[in-house]
Amino acid sequence: MTTEESATGPTTPDQPLADRVNTRSRRPQSAAFRDFVASGWDRASAGDAQPLPAAAWTPARREALSRSFPGERLVIPAGGLKVRSNDTDYVFRAHSAFIHLTGLEQDSEPDSVLVLEPTEDGHEQTFYFRPRAGADTEEFFSDSRYGEYWVGPREDLATMEARTGIACADIREAPEAITKDLGSVSVRLLRGADTVIEAQIDTAREQVAADLEISLAGDDELAQFLSELRLIKDEYEIGEMRRAVDITRAGFDTVVASLPRAVAHARGERVIETAFAQAARSDGNGVGYDTIAAAGDHACTLHWIKNTGAVADGDLVLVDAGAEADSLYTADITRTLPVSGTFTEVQGRIYDAVLEAADAAFAVAAEHTRRPVVFAEVHDAAMRVIAHRLADFGLLPVSVDEALAPTGQQHRRWMVHGTSHHLGLDVHDCAQARADMYLGAELRPGMVFTIEPGLYFKAADLLVPEEYRGIGVRIEDDVLVTEDGVENLSAGFPRTRAEVEAWVQGAR
Ligand code: GLY
Ligand code: MN
Ligand code: MN
């Protein structure tokens, strides 16, 4: 990796620490260099810029937002670059609400902000971002965070306008635009994305003696609205979910093919993790969340993302992975694979119980065409099966009815997580929605969620016979609610015991 050139020359003992970060080499200072580096570049404006794939869909989303908050200024930041260490940043990933409203993709657009300014009959929408700098600027050749020479070309205002379909302005105008007239205009800010903008707005609120508690409650309402706005996916989003599932499907083939290498490697779980990452990053934007590659007892650690373990031939390995498309929509799939290619009798018994729970959840979701089905019923259907099978295994200390009662719930010892969550731009999508819009909501066409029951018998669990200990199974599919029932978006994945065995055996 190269480093930014210092403007100040070699470090001296009295040089402030902050200035020493880029003292590894010296930037040319001569007028001759500046003239020469600014000249001779083919930097034609991209006048033929194509609209973003989502650009036909985002106006309706912004209009819904505008209608819900008449007369108020609405500020939706993308977020900024995050330092990983010293002078290296994480790859940028904007806030999902911002992506939903602008249609931007991949690593666009750090430090930008969408502002809806109230007008007589709605809002004027402006996207503030850092437009590309001229080749004659210092930024062009010397700014390792934003400069074109370092991080590649950026859009000018006209190009960004053509791509997003939103009027654009220079980010340097944003502080004034978002803080002006707060005595007469109320502002709502999507918090949690950009601390700089939060500080600007909160300071401006203090200056007009706004009631901070009321302001923060207003901000929360905006976050809730933007979360609930994503509960029903439009056709474009459904297409992107299909794309994410397709990339993930290919990634799981890569994972299965990597199993012999995983067994041979001391940290076989990392072999699996990186096999998936290679597919997700090659064909999509990357992984939508950290991959869980959990062999043996690690499968019973629900968010096992260290992935440092070995993968033994007789183990089950639980792989929970999802690729995020360039549009930033993600899949979320789990398959539990017998490394040897064959489930043992007890592994198979547990697998079939989990599969039956998943099937019951699918079946109740499909009933929405005949009667209203609320989201929580999907989980309840899976839990009835789990409780019955645990009783069959002789593990429940009470009757099935006692366990299923709210005062019981003993079966949840072996599945403490929920069965379903909404899925979309975030793996746990729509997380700021109200309970009656989420768990208590009726299933409606366009909803996308997971069905992911599991059973987890930890190696340290003294309440199960030894043969169960160190076995964890989860089966997770991605589901679209349709007019006719439900569609399993991940139907292309091997799912039954026989299908999964054939899949693994085929790669051995
Ligand atoms: N991978 C996270 C989840 O399944 O919810
Ligand atoms: Mn999930
Ligand atoms: Mn998952």
Side-chain angles (χ1 to χ4, degrees):
M1 178 171 216
T2 54
T3 59
E4 194 177 346
E5 302 264 345
S6 166
T8 50
T11 305
T12 54
D14 56 353
Q15 186 184 25
L17 272 184
D19 292 350
R20 294 184 199 174
V21 87
N22 296 309
T23 49
R24 288 165 291 267
S25 52
R26 275 174 295 151
R27 181 191 307 153
Q29 294 293 307
S30 68
F33 165 73
R34 284 173 174 272
D35 286 349
F36 193 54
V37 77
S39 66
W41 305 107
D42 178 5
R43 299 182 83 232
S45 176
D48 57 350
Q50 294 300 307
L52 289 161
W57 302 89
T58 55
R61 303 171 193 166
R62 295 192 300 273
E63 279 313 311
L65 174 62
S66 171
R67 277 196 306 276
S68 297
F69 298 97
E72 297 186 87
R73 180 180 302 151
L74 308 171
V75 178
I76 296 100
L81 289 162
K82 285 193 182 62
V83 173
R84 179 178 182 279
S85 179
N86 188 20
D87 60 349
T88 55
D89 294 323
Y90 287 106
V91 174
F92 180 69
R93 204 297 192 172
H95 193 290
S96 291
F98 167 90
I99 294 297
H100 191 236
L101 294 173
T102 62
L104 284 161
E105 301 195 322
Q106 296 186 2
D107 59 350
S108 299
E109 183 62 55
D111 302 322
S112 63
V113 57
L114 173 68
V115 179
L116 272 65
E117 183 69 16
T119 60
E120 291 279 296
D121 54 354
H123 287 84
E124 187 181 61
Q125 306 172 5
T126 308
F127 178 45
Y128 295 88
F129 77 107
R130 179 188 285 260
R132 82 172 182 181
D136 57 346
T137 60
E138 180 106 354
E139 175 189 303
F140 173 73
F141 67 88
S142 79
D143 186 331
S144 64
R145 219 175 187 195
Y146 298 103
E148 182 165 332
Y149 213 114
W150 293 79
V151 294
R154 281 206 317 274
E155 282 86 352
D156 55 23
L157 292 173
T159 305
M160 187 61 98
E161 242 171 64
R163 296 192 69 216
T164 59
I166 311 172
C168 289
D170 193 306
I171 189 65
R172 282 158 279 232
E173 296 168 23
E176 161 71 6
I178 63 179
T179 57
K180 69 181 180 191
D181 306 330
L182 282 203
S184 52
V185 183
S186 86
V187 60
R188 288 184 197 253
L189 164 66
L190 179 72
R191 306 187 82 86
D194 190 317
T195 52
V196 174
I197 290 178
E198 280 169 29
Q200 287 168 347
I201 287 184
D202 289 344
T203 303
R205 282 168 166 166
E206 269 169 35
Q207 282 165 357
V208 298
D211 184 320
L212 196 61
E213 211 169 300
I214 293 177
S215 298
L216 293 179
D219 292 347
D220 284 354
E221 275 174 16
L222 175 63
Q224 172 188 295
F225 177 87
L226 292 172
S227 209
E228 292 176 356
L229 188 61
R230 308 202 321 253
L231 282 163
I232 306 289
K233 272 62 179 174
D234 60 33
E235 287 302 317
Y236 165 77
E237 295 181 286
I238 292 166
E240 289 306 302
M241 291 306 301
R242 291 186 196 285
R243 189 193 306 276
V245 170
D246 284 350
I247 299 167
T248 303
R249 176 71 187 84
F252 267 80
D253 274 344
T254 315
V255 162
V256 169
S258 79
L259 287 177
R261 265 195 308 127
V263 171
H265 195 286
R267 292 204 296 184
E269 291 175 345
R270 289 285 175 91
V271 173
I272 290 170
E273 175 193 320
T274 51
F276 187 79
Q278 184 236 317
R281 186 71 180 155
S282 302
D283 296 342
N285 192 54
V287 293
Y289 56 91
D290 285 317
T291 294
I292 296 168
D297 188 45
H298 287 162
C300 304
T301 301
L302 297 177
H303 284 173
W304 177 257
I305 55 172
K306 291 186 205 288
N307 303 338
T308 45
V311 175
D313 200 40
D315 279 348
L316 295 182
V317 61
L318 182 157
V319 183
D320 183 341
E324 181 180 77
D326 287 344
S327 56
L328 306 180
Y329 287 82
T330 188
D332 179 11
I333 303 285
T334 306
R335 286 297 181 265
T336 306
L337 311 167
V339 178
S340 70
T342 311
F343 289 92
T344 66
E345 194 279 325
V346 64
Q347 289 169 348
R349 194 187 315 154
I350 298 165
Y351 190 93
D352 284 347
V354 173
L355 186 64
E356 189 187 339
D359 287 343
F362 268 96
V364 84
E367 287 178 20
H368 80 88
T369 56
R370 292 186 277 117
R371 64 170 183 93
V373 174
V374 301
F375 192 73
E377 287 183 64
V378 178
H379 172 69
D380 294 343
M383 287 310 93
R384 276 193 294 279
V385 173
I386 291 292
H388 275 99
R389 291 303 151 257
L390 287 168
D392 294 346
F393 298 165
L395 304 180
L396 264 194
V398 296
S399 71
V400 169
D401 285 346
E402 274 178 271
L404 287 172
T407 48
Q409 300 291 305
Q410 288 84 349
H411 57 290
R412 297 294 300 278
R413 174 186 174 95
W414 295 288
M415 183 186 147
V416 296
H417 62 77
T419 303
S420 297
H421 56 80
H422 279 268
L423 183 66
L425 283 166
D426 283 324
V427 62
H428 298 156
D429 213 33
C430 313
Q432 282 76 42
R434 286 163 289 183
D436 60 346
M437 296 289 286
Y438 200 110
L439 271 183
E442 290 174 12
L443 299 191
R444 284 188 286 150
M447 287 180 169
V448 175
F449 55 81
T450 65
I451 289 181
E452 51 175 308
L455 276 172
Y456 312 91
F457 301 107
K458 290 179 179 289
D461 191 336
L462 303 180
L463 298 190
V464 300
E466 218 169 311
E467 61 171 352
Y468 286 86
R469 293 181 199 164
I471 298 177
V473 173
R474 177 164 64 252
I475 302 169
E476 177 171 28
D477 285 290
D478 299 342
V479 187
L480 167 69
V481 181
T482 65
E483 298 288 347
D484 311 326
V486 291
E487 179 187 341
N488 183 358
L489 295 175
S490 41
F493 282 70
R495 188 161 174 277
T496 66
R497 220 199 305 175
E499 287 166 355
V500 169
E501 286 182 341
W503 193 21
V504 175
Q505 286 165 17
R508 278 174 72 92

